[in-house]
Amino acid sequence: RLHRRAAYAALCLPVTRAAWAAAFALLVLTMGTSIITPLFPLYQDRFALSNGEITLLFTVYSLAVAPTMLLMGNLSDVIGRKRVILPALLAMALGSLVMGLADSVPVLFAGRILQGLAIGGMLGVGTAFVVDHARLGYKARASELAGLAFRVGFGLGPGLGGLVAANLPDPVHLPFRMHAGLTAIAVVVVLLTPETIRRSRRVMRIGVGVPAGQLWAFASFLAPAIFLMSFLDGTLLSVVPLYMSDTLGVESVALIGLVGFLILGMGGVSPFFFSGLDPRRAVMIGAGTAAASSILIVLAAGIGSVLVVVAAAGLIGLLNGLILQGATTICGISVPLSERGKLISALYMTAYSGT
């Protein structure tokens, strides 16, 4: 208990209010994209979606993320973080409203594309915004806070979707409408948060945001690990809900949402369990053990156990969070302010190529 309290204090106390505000906006943004996870069985009933169409909903979202993330990370280093973050939040609010009003399959796809554009616009930039606001000497802690907001936000999405769908009317629409309201609050919070980048007149050059001399380390170490993390996340989130519903006979949308929360949200508590761990070691331990732990999902399929699915989701989520914790910290402290946005965006763009 004392260790957990010390980890909490080490993570939270050196972080400024502005960093917390930026982290809140990041959390709200990421919630919106994962609300859909426990709703897939309901979409199959409502819109007669095939498994291929559900997979395509993930695909079009990811295709919208990658190029937007690369562009916006570069752009935010030139024109400022808020000039990129605010339009991204507005795009997410619009995407959630579209999903909350969807009455046909094409409208669902339009909503997912808007959500992909929003995540691409803010995820890397928002993380850089959190780190920018940290006090000198505490950039690594701020990187961990950004990773916590990233994973917990993604985890809360399925939790919100599952609970609302299980207990309130209009389950395929209401969770997204509620999220649109939360996003409006996040917009106000960001408006009140100071900018960290003074607008530059220099010509922006679009390219992968890896500083000269570090490309090999990024490509050979960070990129494979973060790709693996995202590949496991995307595979589990697209397959496990349908497997639980169709094969294991799970009818509880809340339980399916819990599994989605564990896959994504458990990574948010990694800094509390592994506080002080060298970021390079965190990446190596997380990548090796997460890959090995995926065997539990295969075991669950063999014995038909919901309990094993839940346990595997929590363990893989925790270990994937360790990868993100280490990778985000390395990117947050290894480059100056003027290159932070594009480097972190490059990291997340690599992640989304694995979904």
Side-chain angles (χ1 to χ4, degrees), residues 102-180:
D103 57 0
S104 66
V105 174
V107 178
L108 286 178
F109 277 92
R112 287 297 282 173
I113 291 171
L114 282 169
Q115 289 183 331
L117 293 173
I119 283 287
M122 182 175 166
L123 192 56
V125 178
T127 299
F129 199 40
V130 175
V131 178
D132 292 349
H133 277 294
R135 296 185 178 94
L136 291 176
Y138 294 103
K139 300 297 183 184
R141 293 299 182 190
S143 296
E144 292 180 357
L145 173 63
L148 184 150
F150 175 110
R151 297 295 292 189
V152 171
F154 275 127
L156 286 175
L160 172 65
L163 286 175
V164 172
N167 298 287
L168 295 176
D170 199 7
V172 300
H173 293 136
L174 185 58
F176 292 103
R177 295 172 186 171
M178 295 173 66
H179 179 259

Side-chain angles (χ1 to χ4, degrees), residues 241-323:
L242 297 177
Y243 166 72
M244 293 179 67
S245 174
D246 298 343
T247 304
L248 298 182
V250 175
E251 297 181 355
S252 171
V253 181
L255 180 58
I256 296 174
L258 172 64
V259 171
F261 169 77
L262 291 174
I263 292 170
L264 295 170
M266 280 298 292
V269 302
S270 292
F272 297 102
F273 284 97
F274 304 103
S275 177
L277 184 63
D278 178 80
R280 292 167 296 181
R281 184 171 296 178
V283 172
M284 290 187 288
I285 293 173
T289 52
S293 299
S294 62
I295 297 173
L296 289 173
I297 298 294
V298 179
L299 176 63
I303 65 177
S305 171
V306 175
L307 181 60
V308 175
V309 172
V310 173
L315 179 60
I316 293 172
L318 183 67
L319 296 172
N320 275 351
L322 195 56
I323 299 172

Side-chain angles (χ1 to χ4, degrees), residues 7-349:
Y8 174 82
L11 176 64
C12 300
L13 293 182
V15 179
T16 64
R17 289 183 180 180
W20 276 105
F24 169 77
L26 189 61
L27 182 147
V28 171
L29 181 95
T30 53
M31 281 180 64
T33 65
S34 58
I35 287 174
I36 195 173
T37 300
L39 306 181
F40 283 143
L42 302 181
Y43 282 137
Q44 283 187 313
D45 293 337
R46 173 72 71 91
F47 299 106
L49 289 176
S50 66
N51 289 348
E53 287 173 317
I54 288 176
T55 302
L56 194 57
L57 279 173
F58 270 99
T59 302
V60 297
Y61 162 80
S62 297
L63 289 175
V65 169
T68 311
M69 191 173 290
L70 179 59
L71 175 64
M72 293 299 106
N74 282 265
L75 188 62
S76 77
D77 288 334
V78 178
I79 69 171
R81 309 288 190 225
K82 291 172 64 172
R83 289 185 175 91
V84 172
I85 290 172
L86 288 170
L89 284 171
L90 292 174
M92 177 58 72
L94 180 59
S96 290
L97 284 175
V98 169
M99 297 292 288
L101 298 172
D103 57 0
S104 66
V105 174
V107 178
L108 286 178
F109 277 92
R112 287 297 282 173
I113 291 171
L114 282 169
Q115 289 183 331
L117 293 173
I119 283 287
M122 182 175 166
L123 192 56
V125 178
T127 299
F129 199 40
V130 175
V131 178
D132 292 349
H133 277 294
R135 296 185 178 94
L136 291 176
Y138 294 103
K139 300 297 183 184
R141 293 299 182 190
S143 296
E144 292 180 357
L145 173 63
L148 184 150
F150 175 110
R151 297 295 292 189
V152 171
F154 275 127
L156 286 175
L160 172 65
L163 286 175
V164 172
N167 298 287
L168 295 176
D170 199 7
V172 300
H173 293 136
L174 185 58
F176 292 103
R177 295 172 186 171
M178 295 173 66
H179 179 259
L182 283 174
T183 307
I185 297 174
V187 168
V188 175
V189 169
V190 172
L191 282 171
L192 298 175
T193 305
E195 176 61 78
T196 58
I197 296 289
R198 182 172 297 179
R199 187 165 186 169
S200 172
R201 295 182 179 275
R202 65 184 174 91
V203 177
M204 183 181 67
R205 292 180 174 86
I206 302 300
V208 176
V210 181
Q214 297 190 23
L215 180 59
W216 171 249
F218 182 89
S220 62
F221 182 64
L222 290 182
I226 207 74
F227 181 92
L228 172 66
M229 180 202 79
S230 187
F231 177 78
L232 289 173
D233 281 350
T235 301
L236 294 176
L237 290 173
S238 61
V239 172
V240 170
L242 297 177
Y243 166 72
M244 293 179 67
S245 174
D246 298 343
T247 304
L248 298 182
V250 175
E251 297 181 355
S252 171
V253 181
L255 180 58
I256 296 174
L258 172 64
V259 171
F261 169 77
L262 291 174
I263 292 170
L264 295 170
M266 280 298 292
V269 302
S270 292
F272 297 102
F273 284 97
F274 304 103
S275 177
L277 184 63
D278 178 80
R280 292 167 296 181
R281 184 171 296 178
V283 172
M284 290 187 288
I285 293 173
T289 52
S293 299
S294 62
I295 297 173
L296 289 173
I297 298 294
V298 179
L299 176 63
I303 65 177
S305 171
V306 175
L307 181 60
V308 175
V309 172
V310 173
L315 179 60
I316 293 172
L318 183 67
L319 296 172
N320 275 351
L322 195 56
I323 299 172
L324 182 70
Q325 173 188 338
T328 305
T329 300
I330 291 170
C331 290
I333 64 176
S334 61
V335 293
L337 178 69
S338 61
E339 295 183 315
R340 188 174 294 142
K342 58 175 173 281
L343 178 59
I344 295 177
S345 292
L347 179 74
Y348 290 157
M349 185 187 70

